[in-house]
């Protein structure tokens, strides 16, 4: 076995205690070319860390504009042999940025005709699992929106266009922000929460109950049809006891009306339900039947903001027979971005128009809940902003 001492002049040489990510910067005429270089030279495990547009030449004059992409490969990923590349800069300093996406997660490469920033957003959308029809629709609308405002949409100068803002507006146009639950003293409003297991239905029922009882000073009753697990009933019962709220447990449709009557003169009945796998038709049918017996005024579908776009689409489809009137997004505190879930809400034809009522952003009852708000959801649309340097930054 031979041992080769570390060579200080070899940029590929990593030493102990150095950051364990190998970083390289690639330059190319467009993003598509740069990504292809990365894919060839670092493999598809490489993560894109940074994208910018630069120009060489004296003070940017008479220079060429090109794209610079910084990619990283963790040491344990570096099974690919790294060949020296033309126009490629190596460094061993790990940047303090989160990888924006890993190449292998991007289904298709970008459209080189799009402005650089939009190409980068396109990749981030695809990496977040947004289906390619939705990505195309959003980007086309974004470009026409920008040109209708007289903004440059091609060439290096289009860097000045506020693309993220235009993209946010485009997405927002496809979403509906609904109103929170409205109650009136003396009028009983029945609201059910449905959704997959573990998304936060029971916790959200507790947050809503506390908010209406303590802040809005409404009379609130709880009802659960989640009798499949004893622990589920106990969980809600614990909240009912702390807040001193009447609670009923219902197992069969025939018991629903008597249970609602037993809750007495309340302004708001919150119905907690068992998590259903959206794939289990039989259990969804049971849920539909139980809910029909309660005739809820509103049915909020609870969706986990950390779910993939595909899982959200599945939940929307699976719970369609329940006819949700609104959607609640939970666990925003844990979600890196909102685009996966929002793309499913926007693109799902069946549900185009299902309004968002609330978001939840933590485990604390009752604090971590707020009415859904467009600005907040859009500010969290994507993970990072794409940086584009001044033209003479090279
Ligand atoms: N981080 C975070 N956790 C939440 C949120 N809402 C609920 N949870 C947690 O998610 C888990 C499942 O919640 P639960 O209400 O029992 O879900 P259910 O099965 O839909 O009723 C619990 O550990 C909750 O504390 C939220 O907004 N953020
Ligand atoms: Mg529950």
């Amino acid at each position: 076995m031979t041992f080769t001492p570390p060579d200080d002049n070899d940029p590929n040489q990593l030493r102990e205690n150095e950051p364990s990510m190998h970083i390289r910067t690639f330059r190319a005429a467009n993003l598509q070319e740069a990504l292809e270089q990365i894919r060839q030279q670092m493999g598809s495990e490489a993560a894109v860390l940074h994208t910018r547009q630069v120009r060489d030449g004296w003070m940017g004059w008479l220079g060429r504009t090109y794209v610079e992409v910084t990619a990283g490969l963790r040491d344990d990923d570096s099974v690919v042999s790294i060949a020296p590349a033309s126009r490629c800069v190596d460094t061993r300093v790990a940047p303090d940025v989160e990888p924006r996406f890993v190449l292998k997660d991007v289904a298709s490469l970008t459209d080189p005709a799009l402005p650089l920033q939009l190409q980068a957003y396109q990749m981030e959308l695809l990496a977040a699992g947004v289906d390619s029809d939705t990505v195309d629709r959003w980007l086309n609308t974004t470009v026409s929106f920008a040109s209708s405002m007289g903004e440059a949409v091609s060439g290096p100068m289009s860097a000045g266009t506020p693309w993220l803002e235009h993209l946010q507006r485009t997405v927002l146009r496809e979403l509906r922000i609904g109103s929170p639950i409205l109650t009136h003293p003396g009028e009983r409003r029945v609201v059910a929460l449905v959704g997959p297991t573990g998304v936060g239905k029971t916790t959200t029922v507790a947050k809503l109950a506390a908010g209406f009882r303590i802040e809005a000073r409404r009379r609130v009753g709880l009802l659960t049809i989640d009798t499949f697990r004893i622990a589920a009933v106990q969980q809600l019962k614990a909240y009912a006891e702390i807040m001193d709220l009447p609670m009923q447990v219902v197992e069969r449709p025939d018991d629903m009306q008597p249970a609602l009557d037993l809750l007495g003169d309340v302004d708001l009945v919150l119905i907690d339900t068992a998590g259903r796998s959206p794939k289990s038709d039989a259990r969804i049918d049971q849920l539909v039947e139980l809910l029909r017996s309660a005739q809820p005024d509103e049915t909020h579908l609870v969706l986990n903001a950390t779910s993939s776009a595909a899982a959200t689409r599945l939940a929307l489809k699976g719970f369609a027979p329940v006819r949700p009137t609104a959607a609640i997004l939970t666990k925003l505190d844990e979600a890196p971005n909102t685009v996966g879930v929002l793309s499913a809400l926007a693109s799902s034809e069946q549900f185009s128009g299902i309004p968002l009522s609330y978001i939840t952003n933590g485990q604390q009852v009752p604090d971590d809940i707020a009415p859904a708000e467009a600005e907040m959801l859009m500010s969290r649309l994507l993970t990072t902003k794409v940086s584009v340097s001044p033209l003479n930054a090279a």
Side-chain angles (χ1 to χ4, degrees), residues 201-202 226 229 235 272-273:
K201 294 178 298 298
T202 305
D226 186 1
R229 292 171 308 131
Q235 189 188 356
D272 190 16
T273 63

Side-chain angles (χ1 to χ4, degrees), residues 196-204 207 229 235 272-273 275 330-334 360-363 368:
T197 312
V199 291
K201 294 178 298 298
T202 305
T203 311
T204 307
K207 289 171 180 173
R229 292 171 308 131
Q235 189 188 356
D272 190 16
T273 63
T330 58
K331 309 195 188 187
L332 240 80
D333 54 311
E334 290 181 352
T360 79
N361 53 357
Q363 292 181 297
D368 296 337

Side-chain angles (χ1 to χ4, degrees), residues 202 224 226-238 247 249 251 272 274:
T202 305
T224 184
D226 186 1
T227 56
F228 189 61
R229 292 171 308 131
I230 293 173
V233 175
Q234 292 307 327
Q235 189 188 356
L236 194 66
K237 207 166 236 166
M247 175 176 152
V249 182
E251 279 182 67
D272 190 16

